[in-house]
């Protein structure tokens, strides 16, 4: 005589059973899913709002030049002024984490005057500085008016004034430098990352070489690097800029704002993890409570199914599937709701809206995990009910 084996539940059958279990008590399912959704929405919105605030703080700290380092010539062993090699800038640009680099060169003993009628001693303390064309992009310089040097004007008698230089010289169309008139084509706003440029009169590198006997040596190199690699870049800058005499190169220290930015990020991350764990715990307790009550209310159904041949494993799987489906519905609603709250709140604060992908994926994944754990005990309890015990308690 052939042995009889219980029919196996296909995934589609299991999904229908789980859906039936939730539809049979729609109000309880909706309220339970709502409780889960509120917990997940709270987690996602708190994470999103905190991440948006952190993004805004990062933008403000980035404006302070957290990833900027400067390189300048130091002193020789005899105490004389050193110079950077001609290839210092291209060598620095080859450092992998360096995202941009540019240079300026001071043109020594070259005073600047409003006109040729100004007495020689009234220089105003301004410095003529040869500049590369990519200087504004690297030091975040902005023009108050006019234009920056380009490939054409960098070769001719044209200058851009720093903010303080423009105030001292006044609104002049040209300046007098070393017996020649130089047209003023632009004025920079104050440069927070490189305040020494505020008192500079900036001229193209080629023009400085042609008209002012500039020796072509950079006196300051500005670099921007990948933030996480700033310390590593600083460690190799001197040897890269001057391989023969790295001790004759001065390299700036990372900005204090970089330390503050990392401390803020660490604090935010700890806060987010703590709040997320609490929200998920609350959601898990809600799921467990719902499933335990569901088992108690459906003992008759369990007994009938067991009498008709359902195995303990099938009953256990059904209740775990219901718990997972309930968790998934609540988690998806919570993620959508939390994301919407984040976008709205960030908009009112003029922050960049940020909903971390890990919060979305983690919220859904953790909800399913907690749903499975929370539904496991009720499922095991339901599977242990004997048919006669369940039907007798109905």
């Amino acid at each position: 005589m052939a042995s009889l084996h219980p029919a196996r539940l296909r995934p589609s059958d299991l999904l229908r059973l789980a859906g039936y279990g939730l539809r049979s008590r729609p109000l309880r399912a909706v309220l339970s899913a709502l409780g889960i959704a509120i917990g997940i929405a709270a987690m996602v919105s708190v994470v999103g709002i905190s991440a948006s605030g952190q993004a805004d703080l990062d933008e403000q700290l980035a404006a302070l030049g957290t990833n900027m380092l400067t390189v300048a010539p130091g002193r020789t062993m005899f105490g004389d002024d050193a110079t950077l090699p001609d290839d210092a800038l291209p060598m620095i640009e080859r450092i992998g984490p360096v995202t941009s680099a540019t240079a300026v060169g001071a043109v020594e003993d070259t005073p600047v005057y409003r006109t040729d009628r100004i007495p020689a001693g009234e220089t105003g303390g301004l410095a003529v500085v040869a500049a590369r064309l990519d200087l504004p992009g690297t030091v975040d310089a902005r023009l108050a008016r006019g234009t920056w040097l380009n490939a054409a004007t960098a070769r001719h008698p044209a200058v851009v004034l720093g903010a303080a230089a423009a105030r001292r010289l006044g609104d002049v169309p040209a300046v007098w430098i070393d017996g020649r008139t130089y047209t003023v084509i632009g004025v920079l706003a104050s440069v927070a990352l490189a305040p020494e440029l505020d008192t500079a009169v900036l001229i193209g590198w080629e023009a400085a070489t042609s008209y002012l006997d500039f020796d072509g040596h950079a006196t300051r190199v500005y670099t921007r690097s990948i933030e996480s690699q700033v310390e590593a870049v600083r460690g190799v800058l001197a040897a890269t800029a001057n391989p023969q005499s790295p001790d004759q190169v001065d390299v700036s220290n990372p900005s204090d704002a970089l330390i503050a930015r990392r401390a803020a990020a660490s604090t935010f991350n700890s806060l987010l993890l703590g709040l997320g764990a609490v929200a998920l715990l609350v959601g898990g307790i809600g799921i467990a409570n719902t499933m335990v009550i569901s088992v108690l209310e459906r003992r008759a159904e369990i007994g009938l199914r067991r009498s008709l041949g359902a195995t303990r494993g099938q009953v256990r799987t059904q209740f775990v599937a219901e718990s997972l489906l309930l968790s998934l519905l609540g988690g998806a609603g919570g993620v959508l709701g939390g994301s919407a709250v984040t976008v709205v709140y960030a908009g009112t604060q003029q922050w960049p809206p940020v909903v971390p992908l890990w919060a979305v994926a983690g919220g859904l994944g953790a909800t399913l995990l907690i749903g499975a754990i929370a539904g496991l005990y009720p499922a095991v309890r339901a599977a242990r009910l004997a048919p006669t015990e369940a039907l007798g308690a109905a």
Side-chain angles (χ1 to χ4, degrees):
M1 181 176 178
S3 60
L4 297 177
H5 297 281
R8 292 184 177 180
L9 285 176
R10 294 175 297 181
S12 58
D13 297 330
L14 188 59
L15 183 61
R16 281 197 298 270
L17 274 175
Y20 168 77
L22 298 182
R23 291 195 305 272
S24 62
R25 292 166 178 79
L27 181 59
R28 181 177 296 279
V30 169
L31 291 178
S32 299
L34 182 61
I36 299 168
I38 291 174
I40 298 303
M43 185 202 73
V44 173
S45 59
V46 168
V47 170
I49 290 172
S50 300
S52 299
Q54 182 179 358
D56 181 68
L57 177 61
D58 285 345
E59 288 184 359
Q60 295 182 41
L61 291 177
L64 300 178
T66 54
N67 64 341
M68 175 178 280
L69 295 170
T70 60
V71 178
R75 297 276 185 176
T76 66
M77 61 182 300
F78 302 106
D80 299 326
D81 292 334
T83 58
L84 293 177
D86 291 337
D87 59 352
L89 178 59
M91 290 294 291
I92 290 173
E93 290 176 329
R94 295 179 184 176
I95 300 175
V98 171
T99 56
S100 64
T102 190
V104 296
V107 183
E108 302 292 343
D109 302 323
T110 308
V112 181
Y113 305 97
R114 294 183 63 185
T115 68
D116 58 347
R117 299 181 181 275
I118 302 297
E122 298 181 10
T123 63
L126 304 179
V128 178
V129 175
R132 297 288 186 183
L133 299 183
D134 55 357
L135 176 66
T138 301
V139 300
D140 287 341
R142 301 289 182 268
L143 284 162
R145 63 177 184 272
T147 60
W148 177 246
L149 298 165
N150 57 39
T153 55
R155 299 179 179 179
H156 298 286
V159 296
V160 174
L161 304 180
R167 289 194 297 270
R168 295 177 191 177
L169 292 170
D171 187 12
V172 292
V175 292
W176 184 262
I177 304 175
D178 196 29
R180 187 187 299 271
T181 298
Y182 288 75
T183 304
V184 176
I185 62 173
V187 174
L188 292 178
S190 183
V191 184
L193 301 187
E196 62 275 4
L197 298 180
D198 290 348
T199 57
V201 176
L202 300 159
I203 184 173
W205 205 272
E206 296 84 353
T209 304
S210 300
Y211 301 116
L212 300 176
D213 295 327
F214 174 52
D215 60 10
H217 291 291
T219 55
R220 189 178 296 270
V221 178
Y222 301 95
T223 70
R224 303 296 286 266
S225 308
I226 298 173
E227 188 172 291
S228 61
Q229 302 295 317
V230 170
E231 288 86 354
V233 170
R234 186 184 185 278
V236 300
L237 271 177
T240 304
N242 191 348
Q244 301 298 323
S245 304
D247 57 310
Q248 297 180 13
V249 178
D250 291 337
V251 180
S252 66
N253 291 314
S255 168
D256 290 339
L258 177 61
I259 301 174
R261 185 174 183 178
R262 290 177 177 172
S266 176
T267 301
F268 270 117
N269 290 337
S270 300
L271 174 65
L272 299 185
L273 290 175
L275 292 173
V278 171
L280 290 176
L281 177 61
V282 171
I285 293 173
I287 296 171
N289 179 64
T290 299
M291 298 311 298
V292 168
I293 294 176
S294 180
V295 169
L296 295 176
E297 290 181 344
R298 297 163 62 185
R299 297 179 75 179
E301 174 194 333
I302 296 168
L304 181 60
R305 292 197 63 223
R306 294 282 283 117
S307 299
L308 294 175
T311 65
R312 290 184 175 182
Q314 290 173 340
V315 172
R316 185 167 53 246
T317 303
Q318 173 190 348
F319 277 86
V320 171
E322 287 185 23
S323 179
L324 288 173
L325 183 58
L326 187 63
S327 302
L328 180 61
L329 294 175
V335 166
L336 293 176
S339 300
V341 170
T342 298
V343 171
V344 171
Y345 186 83
T348 61
Q349 301 297 315
Q350 296 183 341
W351 293 347
V354 178
V355 180
L357 182 60
W358 67 263
V360 175
L364 289 175
T367 302
L368 291 175
L369 178 61
I370 291 177
I373 296 173
L376 186 60
Y377 169 72
V380 171
R381 182 172 178 177
R384 287 178 177 176
L385 287 174
T388 55
E389 178 188 357
L391 289 172

